[in-house]
Amino acid sequence: MITYKVLKTNEDMKMVQQLEHEVWGTSPIPTHQTLTAAKHGGTVIGAFDGEKIVGFSYGFAGFENGQVSLCSHMLGILPEYRELGIGAELKQQQKKLATEIGYEKMTWTYDPLQTRNAYLNLTKLHGVCDTYIEDCYGKMDDGLNDGLPSDRFQIDWWLTSDYVNQFEKRVEDAPTLIATWSYNDQHLPYCEDENFKKMTEWKETAYLVPVPADIAGLKEQDLDLAIDWRMKTRAIFQTLFQNGYTAIELVKSSDESVYHYLVVQKNTVNIPQ
């Protein structure tokens, strides 16, 4: 049974450091930083299998456009404990603690081509995104990010909204496919964005944006093709967000190499505008 605990002490933060190293193989955040954040509006939560820490989430207080929010900066889980719902539960535990502190919104970033994260953040948690950050962290050399520009979606999770807590998807019209895809000679998915390039007006209630289902596998087989997906989807998302749309869901397919983002007019989503 996995249990969850709010972490508050220096010894707790040392456990998180070790977990960071095991998950990403990078230098961990100094304990004096995480401990200070936890004491001043931040959150550090651990997931435990017995006495063993197997996952964590870390967030700190943020301020943007006159509004306070919780920046949920890191979430990591040991590989052998993934696909067990721990990530979603860590977010729910963080949401509970954040609302107790007084936050109404939580934000974080993720790579929009990482579909596992997309499904959690949008489809399961009902976060939304209308902010695309180009090459957010510059060149990154870790195994997850190496080779691609570090583009990021910024998720806005409206913690106390009906959209999050009483979710009911409302898309009246059938979404329009903004770009198509096909397999290349190596039977790898290739984005065909000719339709998008011809578009001059943005009137549809909803669009579907294709992304590769497994960007890590695609990157290993053909890095140039993975970069092509990055650049084409970057242009599509930036254009949609600039024209008043927001991403609300990742739609999976059981038998294809491509999934689709559902992107709708922002004023149709029941969140603070």
Side-chain angles (χ1 to χ4, degrees), residues 28-227:
I29 301 173
T31 58
H32 61 76
Q33 202 283 333
T34 51
L35 186 62
T36 301
K39 291 180 177 179
H40 297 279
T43 62
V44 187
I45 299 171
F48 291 84
D49 183 0
E51 298 297 317
K52 177 183 178 182
I53 187 169
V54 299
F56 82 100
S57 65
Y58 163 60
F60 54 83
F63 189 82
E64 183 180 12
N65 298 324
Q67 183 180 59
V68 176
S69 61
L70 180 68
C71 299
S72 182
H73 183 54
M74 301 179 80
L75 188 150
I77 302 167
L78 291 176
E80 61 269 30
Y81 285 88
R82 293 170 190 168
E83 305 296 342
L84 299 176
I86 295 174
E89 184 58 31
L90 276 168
K91 283 296 186 186
Q92 294 294 345
Q93 294 287 329
Q94 195 176 34
K95 174 177 179 281
K96 179 176 181 294
L97 181 56
T99 53
E100 289 173 358
I101 293 171
Y103 292 108
E104 294 184 354
K105 184 174 81 166
M106 189 187 303
T107 68
W108 63 90
T109 63
Y110 79 96
D111 184 340
L113 297 185
Q114 294 289 343
T115 54
R116 177 188 292 173
N117 292 342
Y119 190 76
L120 169 63
N121 296 333
L122 299 177
T123 306
K124 295 184 71 173
L125 297 178
H126 312 311
V128 298
C129 173
D130 63 359
T131 303
Y132 193 101
I133 308 173
E134 187 175 318
D135 204 21
C136 180
Y137 301 111
K139 179 177 171 55
M140 301 179 73
D141 296 325
D142 63 282
L144 185 65
N145 296 286
D146 187 30
L148 292 180
S150 58
D151 292 17
R152 294 293 184 266
F153 268 12
Q154 177 180 302
I155 290 292
D156 293 326
W157 200 22
W158 294 94
L159 305 176
T160 61
S161 69
D162 287 344
Y163 180 78
V164 170
N165 296 293
Q166 300 177 24
F167 181 74
E168 181 181 350
K169 185 172 67 176
R170 295 183 179 87
V171 179
E172 300 292 340
D173 302 325
T176 298
L177 189 61
I178 202 169
T180 59
W181 67 278
S182 62
Y183 289 112
N184 65 10
D185 293 341
Q186 288 74 44
H187 201 67
L188 297 174
Y190 173 80
C191 181
E192 299 175 336
D193 62 347
E194 289 78 8
N195 289 341
F196 163 71
K197 289 179 179 178
K198 294 176 183 177
M199 291 181 176
T200 58
E201 295 182 318
W202 305 95
K203 297 181 178 180
E204 302 296 335
T205 301
Y207 292 97
L208 290 174
V209 181
V211 291
D214 179 14
I215 188 61
L218 183 62
K219 189 170 65 171
E220 288 181 0
Q221 296 177 79
D222 190 331
L223 179 58
D224 288 340
L225 184 56
I227 293 173

